Amino acid sequence: MSRIAVIDYGMGNLHSVAKALEHVNPDVEVLVTADPQKVRDADRVLLPGVGAIRDCMAEIRRLGVDAEVAEAIRSGKPFLGICVGFQALMDFSEENGGVDCLGEFSGRVNFFGNELRDADDQVLKVPHMGWNQVRHAKAHPLWQGIEDNSRFYFVHSYYVKLAQTEQVAGTCEYGVPFDVALAHKNVFAVQFHPEKSQQAGLQLLQNFLSWDGCA
């Protein structure tokens, strides 16, 4: 039986993610855990996250989750980051006056701004909340069975811009273009919430459970 560790650092929709994984494949074992040994023993690792990045990073470092994440990424096992779990992998976030993140990938997390407008000069609300289309920037096993420009569910006020364009797997636009999916070796990470994104999101989670960690 495949075992998935959903890293628990007290900041995320842990049980909704776990239930969604169990829904798409009842034969997997999903462990919501902060136990380093259980994370190491898992076949796949998922880093969720919601809330302010300052609080998330404080708990990640206090609990030693930073070391768990680094070890999981370097192990080569499939790794999925969701929402703040994606942002936390970057170098730096503008949120909360500026916060250093894990630095696993070169990138910056930027604020959408208070005067965000669309192409018709209409004011856009921040946070970006609701459904939006995601464009596939490159082919990847986690996009299998998901049409380009499918809609996914977002809740965020800050967005990622990756420094390495070859790592961008998906993009979106909300006043500004931004990166919503990262793919590099055994790591895939997304800004949207697949567990809230109905069929497309469930398909992505199903793809993660069958992915061998190779692009």
Side-chain angles (χ1 to χ4, degrees):
M1 176 181 287
S2 181
R3 182 177 298 163
I4 300 93
V6 177
I7 299 180
D8 180 7
Y9 58 100
M11 307 289 292
N13 296 332
L14 304 176
H15 294 288
S16 61
V17 171
K19 291 296 183 184
L21 291 167
E22 292 168 347
H23 174 75
V24 297
N25 188 343
D27 294 328
V28 301
E29 181 182 2
V30 181
L31 301 174
V32 177
T33 182
D35 185 322
Q37 189 60 52
K38 290 182 179 179
V39 175
R40 281 193 291 270
D41 291 344
D43 302 299
R44 303 167 196 280
V45 176
L46 191 151
L47 180 69
V50 296
I53 192 70
R54 177 183 56 203
D55 298 335
C56 288
M57 291 307 307
E59 287 303 287
I60 282 172
R61 292 193 169 105
R62 184 181 70 83
L63 296 170
V65 169
D66 49 350
E68 293 176 34
V69 168
E71 184 175 349
I73 288 174
R74 284 152 186 73
S75 73
K77 68 180 65 174
F79 182 100
L80 177 63
I82 294 177
C83 195
V84 175
F86 172 33
Q87 296 182 4
L89 299 176
M90 300 301 112
D91 292 314
F92 179 82
S93 173
E94 290 184 347
E95 191 174 3
N96 303 127
V99 176
D100 290 329
C101 300
L102 294 173
E104 291 292 338
F105 295 93
S106 296
R108 185 180 175 94
V109 185
N110 302 317
F111 181 45
F112 274 117
N114 293 316
E115 296 296 329
L116 192 66
R117 295 177 181 270
D118 64 16
D120 298 321
D121 203 35
Q122 298 298 307
V123 175
L124 296 172
K125 293 181 179 180
V126 177
H128 172 214
M129 182 179 297
W131 297 87
N132 208 335
Q133 290 180 310
V134 170
R135 183 182 70 83
H136 299 172
K138 64 178 179 180
H140 192 276
L142 264 70
W143 291 139
Q144 183 177 351
I146 301 171
E147 291 187 8
D148 194 15
N149 292 311
S150 291
R151 295 170 68 83
F152 290 86
Y153 190 81
F154 291 82
V155 183
H156 62 127
S157 298
Y158 293 79
Y159 65 90
V160 169
K161 286 300 290 185
L162 288 161
Q164 306 296 324
T165 56
E166 65 272 17
Q167 295 176 349
V168 180
T171 61
C172 188
E173 186 161 333
Y174 190 70
V176 294
F178 60 98
D179 302 328
V180 299
L182 171 155
H184 181 70
K185 297 182 179 179
N186 59 308
V187 177
F188 200 85
V190 296
Q191 180 63 65
F192 52 81
H193 287 274
E195 76 280 7
K196 297 181 180 179
S197 297
Q198 298 181 2
Q199 187 55 46
L202 292 177
Q203 182 65 56
L204 188 143
L205 293 177
Q206 188 171 33
N207 292 341
F208 174 63
L209 293 180
S210 60
W211 182 35
D212 63 2
C214 299

